[in-house]
Amino acid sequence: MIASAPRSGSRYASRTRVLHWLAAVLVFSTLLAGFVLANALADYAVLLSVHKVLGTLVFVVFVIRVINRLIDRGPALPVTVGRVERVAIIGSELGMYVLLLAQPLLGWAMVSASGVPVVLGGALRLPSIAPVDAELFGLLRNGHSVVAYALVVMIAAHVSAVLLHTLALRDGMLRRMTFGRGEPLELRRRT
């Protein structure tokens, strides 16, 4: 499938914005549940169950996001984005997508390697995708943790870059992914 040309206008399509904010809430919730889970003594089973369901939802939403991204490339970047920054934006977006698709798979493989059945919400049993192996479980657990921290760093960089563009450069970068009517004030002044 070939990606479309950048869309006209200054905003992403409504479905892209909905998927973006749904993914943001799911990823934040899943990371939070995972960090709490790693340090929890009480309610471990409940936290693990919630974390697994959220991780599954992250995976499903990101598969849909990848398909959506191939169909709709979104609006052109603002003129304030130079060539080097454009390459950084594309690279970081690809990196974040890879991490967000890999993380749930690492979690699923980790649970599979532990020998515990992978059950979601107490009802849906997923097949094992890794052999039961204590050493493999340890490697996957470490990998799952490293990717979680890498995601936190990438998300912080993403938010920081958007805030820089929105607050300092005033180029409407955040507005591309928000809801509301009309063009951003910064773009109205230029036309």
Side-chain angles (χ1 to χ4, degrees):
M1 183 181 303
I2 298 173
S4 64
R7 66 183 6 265
S8 60
S10 63
R11 286 200 169 140
Y12 282 93
S14 295
R15 73 175 177 274
T16 302
R17 288 180 274 157
V18 167
L19 286 169
H20 176 272
W21 292 110
L22 174 62
V25 168
L26 285 171
V27 168
F28 178 78
S29 301
T30 307
L31 285 169
L32 182 62
F35 289 128
V36 171
L37 179 65
N39 297 301
L41 297 175
D43 299 323
Y44 184 84
V46 171
L47 285 168
L48 182 60
S49 179
V50 168
H51 184 70
K52 288 191 293 187
V53 169
L54 288 171
T56 302
L57 290 172
V58 166
F59 183 76
V60 169
V61 167
F62 266 89
V63 168
I64 294 168
R65 281 197 72 188
V66 167
I67 293 166
N68 181 66
R69 189 70 169 112
L70 292 172
I71 294 168
D72 181 10
R73 286 188 41 204
L77 290 168
V79 295
T80 54
V81 176
R83 198 177 105 224
V84 172
E85 188 178 9
R86 186 177 307 275
V87 170
I89 289 169
I90 292 166
S92 65
E93 182 180 354
L94 285 171
M96 197 171 322
Y97 272 54
V98 167
L99 292 176
L100 286 165
L101 290 170
Q103 183 68 337
L105 293 174
L106 281 169
W108 184 0
M110 178 182 70
V111 175
S112 296
S114 75
V116 175
V118 184
V119 180
L120 300 175
L124 179 62
R125 186 177 181 146
L126 299 179
S128 179
I129 62 169
V132 176
D133 182 301
E135 189 174 328
L136 178 60
F137 169 79
L139 287 171
L140 291 167
R141 182 181 171 120
N142 288 339
H144 195 64
S145 295
V146 167
V147 170
Y149 286 112
L151 278 168
V152 169
V153 168
M154 290 201 68
I155 292 166
H158 175 72
V159 170
S160 297
V162 170
L163 288 175
L164 169 74
H165 276 270
T166 301
L167 300 175
L169 301 176
R170 302 172 81 62
D171 61 7
M173 185 70 85
L174 178 61
R175 181 85 173 173
R176 294 160 39 97
M177 198 54 82
T178 60
F179 295 90
R181 293 189 286 162
E183 290 293 313
L185 181 59
E186 301 81 12
L187 293 177
R188 277 188 263 151
R189 285 188 195 142
R190 292 182 190 154
T191 56

